Amino acid sequence: MAQTAAPASVPSPVPDVAGAPPARRRSTPSVAAPGPRTARILSNVVLVVVGLCFLLPLGWIVLASLDPSATLAVGLPEAFTLENFTAVMTPEQTWVPLANAFLLSAGTGLITVVASVLAAYPLSRYRMRFNKPFLYAVLFGTCLPITAMMVPVYSLFVRLNLLDSLAGTTFFMAATSLPMAIWMTKNFMDSVPISLEEAAWTDGASAMTTLRTIVLPLMRPGIAVVFIFVFIQAWGNFFVPFVLLLTPEKQPAAVSIFAFFGQYGSVAYGQLAAYSMLYALPAVGLYVLVSRLSGGSFALAGAVKG
């Protein structure tokens, strides 16, 4: 007669304390996360509020530039007119300061880009023991406030006879923009594969040749970003040209905009708004032009076959 297997005995839970039943685990109530629809609505509300905070000053500038009796209040003008633009579009008030601002900003951008490329190339391609200390020194240079340096810089410009000089001011503004430009250029240069340069070195190309013919063409969008960053910083710089440029004919637009603030707190709001729109057009146009010409990303497609 076959023996039937006894059912497997279920092990009884071991009591925590002798003679006491095991304690039941308490389930902690979980906090319900907001649903995707609620999160999307909240994010949209926050973005709308932030957008309105930016659009309100822009709306005031547009409306005030077309209002002959503009004030600080935002509202539709009683009559739209271009008198404010006609009043400010004069050579001594607009065109000469804009030309000076373009010379300062473009010169600062070109000098900074060239110097940052030459400084970032060895930091990106060679491993030297002073790479990290040098980068930390560059990072420290970005933290120095420009107001703390202007007193010794002014004394230096007086000794070197560079006061009221567009060239001297351009070189100083390029020097102040160089630390951040080196960091940005190095990060862009690190994304270019070094294997492309190694192939050129095998064929006998020098380091400067590979930099000019291989690295720079592949990082054109990065160079454009650095140039736009430096250009806009120099374009909106008020303090440095205000201190170092004394002649009104050499001052840029960022300093000449001070002329719309009269004595005893009187401000020509309509002309100030019209001048602000003209002042913003070159920077916006440069950004659109460079972004169209350079493309949206690095041109590495097909450069490395993996």
Side-chain angles (χ1 to χ4, degrees):
M1 184 175 181
Q3 294 181 352
T4 58
S9 59
V10 179
S12 60
V14 180
D16 296 338
V17 185
R24 294 183 179 179
R25 296 179 180 177
R26 294 181 180 179
S27 59
T28 57
S30 59
V31 181
R37 184 176 181 181
T38 305
R40 185 167 59 251
I41 292 175
L42 290 176
S43 62
N44 290 337
V45 170
V46 172
L47 290 176
V48 168
V49 172
V50 174
L52 290 176
C53 293
F54 281 95
L55 288 177
L56 188 61
L58 294 178
W60 177 85
I61 290 176
V62 174
L63 295 176
S65 64
L66 302 174
D67 190 355
S69 57
T71 61
L72 282 176
V74 180
L76 292 175
E78 297 180 357
F80 291 92
T81 180
L82 297 177
E83 293 179 0
N84 295 323
F85 290 95
T86 306
V88 300
M89 293 173 66
T90 57
E92 64 276 359
Q93 198 168 17
T94 300
W95 305 125
V96 173
L98 285 177
N100 294 334
F102 184 80
L103 290 176
L104 278 174
S105 304
T108 301
L110 290 175
I111 295 172
T112 305
V113 166
V114 173
S116 63
V117 167
L118 296 177
Y121 184 71
L123 294 173
S124 175
R125 290 298 185 256
Y126 302 107
R127 297 293 177 262
M128 295 172 285
R129 58 184 178 181
F130 58 85
N131 275 19
K132 188 172 292 186
F134 181 78
L135 287 175
Y136 284 144
V138 170
L139 182 62
F140 175 75
T142 61
C143 304
L144 293 176
I146 192 66
T147 53
M149 298 187 296
M150 285 312 298
V151 173
V153 167
Y154 186 86
S155 176
L156 179 65
F157 269 55
V158 170
R159 290 177 178 273
L160 297 179
N161 198 20
L162 291 176
L163 203 63
D164 200 22
S165 171
L166 283 174
T169 307
T170 301
F171 277 102
F172 174 70
M173 293 173 66
T176 56
S177 303
L178 193 57
M180 183 59 69
I182 292 176
W183 271 90
M184 296 173 64
T185 307
K186 180 186 178 299
N187 291 333
F188 286 122
M189 196 172 291
D190 288 341
S191 62
V192 180
I194 196 173
S195 57
L196 301 176
E197 296 178 76
E198 290 174 348
W201 293 338
T202 306
D203 294 336
S206 62
M208 294 302 297
T209 302
T210 57
L211 174 64
R212 186 181 67 255
T213 59
I214 296 177
V215 178
L216 292 182
L218 292 177
M219 57 176 297
R220 282 181 302 175
I223 295 176
V225 169
V226 175
F227 180 80
I228 292 175
F229 176 79
V230 176
F231 183 92
I232 292 179
Q233 268 197 333
W235 185 264
N237 196 323
F238 169 81
F239 187 66
V240 173
F242 181 75
V243 174
L244 299 181
L245 296 176
L246 306 178
T247 307
E249 290 77 14
K250 295 182 180 180
Q251 291 178 346
V255 179
S256 64
I257 200 173
F258 197 64
F260 296 101
F261 295 88
Q263 295 180 351
Y264 309 108
S266 61
V267 182
Y269 291 107
Q271 296 182 14
L272 177 63
Y275 189 86
S276 299
M277 292 189 64
L278 295 175
Y279 176 65
L281 285 179
V284 175
L286 175 68
Y287 174 78
V288 174
L289 178 64
V290 173
S291 61
R292 290 291 184 93
L293 294 178
S294 61
S297 60
F298 285 103
L300 295 179
V304 179
K305 184 177 181 180

